[in-house]
Amino acid sequence: MKETTAITGREKHKTIIRSATNEIVADEPIDLNGKDLGFDPSQLLTASLGSCTSITLRMYADRKEWNVEEISVKVTLNDEDKNNPILMRIIEIKANLDEQQKSRLLTIANACPVHKLLSKGIEIITKMKN
């Protein structure tokens, strides 16, 4: 089971997000009364998909012993239509790959765990601790 805790104190929207071993800061941009001290929640979502995709591709390329210098994954969230939000993912790989290798990496990108989770949908259960 994966677990994080988000803690927001009195400093407006600044939120400390902790796992068992790491910590990051989230915040809102200045135009939403934050101080822009870290990623906003939507950026954390796009970062999750981007980083999972990049890591998955790196693991696969390394296992295949392909000479891949760098993998870049840009993810954009378009949520203007609240009933149909779209995540656009653009993958750039610095390597000398043939079309078959590129096609395989695209398939592997769609198999990253966060992609699978977001594609299937997820049930959210919320409880208040006493």
Side-chain angles (χ1 to χ4, degrees):
M1 184 180 313
K2 309 289 182 181
E3 180 177 276
T4 59
T5 302
I7 303 166
T8 307
R10 293 185 177 267
E11 193 177 347
K12 272 289 191 193
H13 306 297
K14 178 183 175 187
T15 302
I16 306 299
I17 302 168
R18 293 187 179 126
S19 71
T21 57
N22 295 290
E23 183 176 289
I24 60 174
V25 175
D27 199 359
E28 289 290 347
I30 293 169
D31 63 334
L32 292 177
N33 298 318
K35 292 186 179 176
D36 202 19
L37 298 172
F39 292 110
D40 71 35
S42 293
Q43 289 170 325
L44 289 169
L45 176 65
T46 60
S48 291
L49 179 58
S51 61
C52 184
T53 302
S54 188
I55 291 167
T56 300
L57 291 174
R58 170 53 66 193
M59 291 169 67
Y60 185 82
D62 287 351
R63 191 167 58 249
K64 290 293 188 177
E65 297 181 354
W66 292 348
N67 187 17
V68 173
E69 183 180 329
E70 183 178 274
I71 301 164
S72 172
V73 182
K74 180 179 181 179
V75 180
T76 305
L77 171 63
N78 182 342
D79 61 352
E80 291 173 12
D81 179 353
K82 299 298 180 192
N83 294 318
N84 189 31
I86 298 170
L87 286 167
M88 171 62 76
R89 181 173 52 179
I90 303 199
I91 300 168
E92 182 179 355
I93 300 177
K94 291 184 181 175
N96 188 13
L97 302 173
D98 62 34
E99 289 307 312
Q100 187 176 11
Q101 290 170 312
K102 289 177 186 177
S103 177
R104 184 65 184 144
L105 287 172
L106 189 57
T107 300
I108 296 301
N110 290 335
C112 95
V114 172
H115 176 99
K116 287 180 178 179
L117 183 69
L118 292 171
S119 295
K120 289 180 186 174
I122 184 168
E123 179 180 1
I124 300 173
I125 299 169
T126 304
K127 298 178 181 180
M128 185 70 72
K129 188 172 179 179
N130 293 331

